[in-house]
């Protein structure tokens, strides 16, 4: 049975992350179709998510006339699949990264504008209720002027063979920091190392400089013994910390700062406050947003932020090579 909003969605790709979309949309009542070229996998998914149509090719799914399509396939396939859907005027949510080059991401945006289909990029962190709450605190001036943001995304994770850890992990943090600062970086620096495969970074440290000398430091690695997803925001009045891997997923406001008394730095510590917020599933929030985007008759552009992330990833890659 379809959801109350009656928007039908088809998920392209039934892998690990694709099934997260499938499961969430099935529970929401909006999953109507699944595409997977692996027939054994497709039959397995159909047996789990009963009543759902299965397709072995995108062309078959396009003929199904769904309201929107979610592309959750390897990044190297995003452009080809996205083009096929957008040239038919279809609404498309593409998992990050939008593409593997800014030329390709720009092509997808132009096709969305030309043929009228809505295009959205799956930057899930932007729909995390904790991140939204942190943005509210920043906008209210609770921590004052941002001095720097530090993020870490570490794990003994899936090692890619076509994209490095920056392209795989860092899009989350870049989109997040751009959102929190409401700016685009003006300077980049990067250090990284390859241990497993030549020319494919397994870990990296990225430094971004934003206007007004706001700094961001991103650490990513898929060769790490502990799963870690943390963000620290340091302001001139207070600081915020959030650990997405913690069981409580709590936001902490650290009422700490350093004040200059003449030429002497003086530490101020007024304690730590736990910030309450209502938790909800980020992926569900993202998919609900996509449904609202489809339902809205106005022309809205939501692919551009993903394009800006791709351009920055390309610049970082050039920095590495140079």
């Amino acid at each position: 049975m379809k959801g109350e909003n009656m928007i039908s969605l088809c998920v392209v790709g039934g892998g690990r992350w694709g099934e997260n979309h499938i499961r969430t949309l099935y529970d929401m009542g909006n999953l109507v179709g699944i595409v997977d070229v692996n027939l054994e996998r497709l039959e397995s998914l159909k047996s789990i998510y009963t009543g759902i149509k299965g397709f072995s090719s995108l062309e078959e799914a396009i003929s199904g006339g769904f309201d929107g399509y979610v592309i959750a396939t390897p990044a190297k396939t995003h452009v080809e699949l996205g083009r096929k859907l957008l040239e038919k005027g279809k609404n498309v949510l593409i998992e990050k990264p939008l593409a593997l080059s800014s030329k390709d991401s720009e092509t997808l945006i132009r096709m969305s504008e030309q043929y009228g289909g809505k295009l959205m990029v799956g930057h899930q962190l932007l729909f995390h209720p904790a991140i939204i709450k942190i943005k509210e605190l920043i906008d209210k001036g609770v921590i004052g002027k941002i001095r720097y943001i530090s993020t870490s995304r570490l794990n003994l994770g899936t090692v890619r063979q076509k994209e490095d850890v920056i392209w795989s992990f860092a899009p989350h943090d870049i989109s997040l920091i751009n959102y929190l600062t409401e700016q685009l970086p003006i300077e980049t620096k990067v250090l990284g190392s390859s241990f497993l495969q030549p020319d494919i970074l397994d870990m990296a440290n990225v430094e971004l400089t934003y206007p007004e000398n706001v700094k961001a430091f991103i650490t990513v690695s898929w060769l790490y013994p502990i799963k870690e997803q943390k963000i620290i925001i340091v302001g001139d009045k207070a600081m915020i910390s959030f650990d997405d891997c913690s069981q409580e997923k709590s936001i902490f406001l650290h009422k700490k700062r350093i004040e200059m008394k003449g030429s002497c730095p003086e530490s101020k510590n007024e304690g730590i406050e736990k910030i309450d917020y209502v938790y909800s599933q980020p992926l569900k929030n993202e998919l609900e947003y996509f449904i609202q985007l489809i339902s809205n008759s106005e022309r809205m552009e939501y692919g551009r932020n993903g394009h800006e992330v791709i351009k920055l990833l390309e610049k970082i890659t050039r920095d590495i090579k140079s």
Side-chain angles (χ1 to χ4, degrees):
M1 183 176 180
K2 294 173 68 174
E4 292 180 1
N5 42 46
M6 301 303 291
I7 296 295
S8 62
L9 297 180
C10 178
V11 177
V12 184
R16 181 182 61 84
W17 189 244
E19 188 170 4
N20 288 336
H21 282 280
I22 290 167
R23 183 187 309 109
T24 304
L25 286 171
Y26 187 79
D27 291 341
M28 291 167 59
N30 294 99
L31 179 70
V32 181
I34 302 170
V35 180
D36 201 294
V37 296
N38 184 325
L39 296 182
E40 184 178 345
R41 175 63 175 165
L42 182 61
E43 289 303 316
S44 174
L45 290 169
K46 285 173 62 181
S47 68
I48 298 171
Y49 304 98
T50 56
I52 303 305
K53 299 176 182 177
F55 305 93
S56 60
S57 72
L58 182 60
E59 287 74 18
E60 291 178 13
I62 290 174
S63 66
F66 301 105
D67 296 314
Y69 296 79
V70 177
I71 297 178
T73 57
K76 63 182 180 180
T77 66
H78 288 180
V79 175
E80 178 187 357
L81 298 175
R83 286 173 63 106
K84 287 181 179 180
L85 289 165
L86 290 170
E87 70 182 5
K88 299 292 185 181
K90 302 301 183 181
N91 303 302
V92 187
L93 166 61
I94 301 180
E95 264 302 333
K96 65 83 195 164
L98 177 58
L100 293 179
S101 76
S102 58
K103 179 181 178 181
D104 284 340
S105 60
E106 184 66 55
T107 295
L108 292 174
I109 291 171
R110 286 200 310 268
M111 292 185 72
S112 170
E113 295 169 345
Q114 179 179 354
Y115 296 105
K118 307 282 180 67
L119 174 63
M120 180 175 162
V121 187
H123 290 305
Q124 187 186 163
L125 267 183
L126 304 187
F127 298 91
H128 197 303
I131 299 303
I132 295 170
K133 184 65 177 182
I134 288 171
K135 183 67 165 66
E136 290 177 6
L137 296 172
I138 293 172
D139 290 346
K140 289 178 181 178
V142 172
I143 67 170
K145 180 185 180 299
I146 295 176
R147 285 179 166 153
Y148 73 85
I149 299 174
S150 174
T151 68
S152 58
R153 189 165 302 276
L154 314 168
N155 195 13
L156 188 63
T158 302
V159 177
R160 311 291 183 183
Q161 293 181 292
K162 299 296 184 181
E163 61 189 86
D164 65 19
V165 71
I166 294 177
W167 281 82
S168 185
F169 282 13
H172 293 290
D173 301 290
I174 292 171
S175 63
L176 168 62
I177 296 166
N178 288 352
Y179 167 68
L180 294 178
T181 62
E182 297 183 358
Q183 301 271 10
L184 295 175
I186 56 177
E187 184 180 345
T188 66
K189 296 179 182 178
V190 60
L191 290 172
S193 296
S194 303
F195 301 103
L196 303 176
Q197 304 168 90
D199 301 322
I200 296 181
L201 296 182
D202 300 301
M203 67 82 58
N205 292 293
V206 178
E207 178 184 337
L208 305 176
T209 301
Y210 287 78
E212 299 183 22
N213 200 37
V214 175
K215 296 284 188 177
F217 305 93
I218 300 170
T219 301
V220 289
S221 174
W222 55 34
L223 195 58
Y224 199 78
I226 302 167
K227 186 174 183 179
E228 182 177 302
Q229 295 175 3
K230 291 182 180 178
I231 179 169
I232 304 289
I233 305 136
V234 175
D236 61 2
K237 292 182 181 178
M239 308 175 189
I240 293 172
S241 67
F242 172 66
D243 182 356
D244 200 19
C245 288
S246 66
Q247 186 173 357
E248 300 81 8
K249 298 186 183 297
S250 298
I251 302 170
F252 293 103
L253 176 64
H254 304 259
K255 300 177 182 179
K256 302 176 180 181
R257 62 189 183 279
I258 301 293
E259 295 181 354
M260 296 301 296
K261 299 297 183 181
S263 60
C264 297
E266 185 175 308
S267 176
K268 300 287 185 179
N269 188 347
E270 298 171 0
I272 301 175
E273 178 185 349
K274 181 179 176 181
I275 303 297
D276 293 328
Y277 70 97
V278 178
Y279 183 80
S280 56
Q281 186 185 5
L283 181 57
K284 182 180 179 182
N285 297 339
E286 178 184 273
L287 291 168
E288 286 177 344
Y289 193 88
F290 181 48
I291 289 169
Q292 292 169 13
L293 182 63
I294 293 172
S295 303
N296 195 316
S297 60
E298 295 182 12
R299 179 70 208 168
M300 294 181 287
E301 178 56 74
Y302 287 91
R304 184 63 60 178
N305 61 343
H307 174 61
E308 294 296 340
V309 171
I310 299 302
K311 288 200 299 183
L312 185 56
L313 289 169
E314 284 183 329
K315 186 177 187 307
I316 292 170
T317 299
R318 290 194 298 270
D319 291 346
I320 294 168
K321 292 182 178 179
S322 64

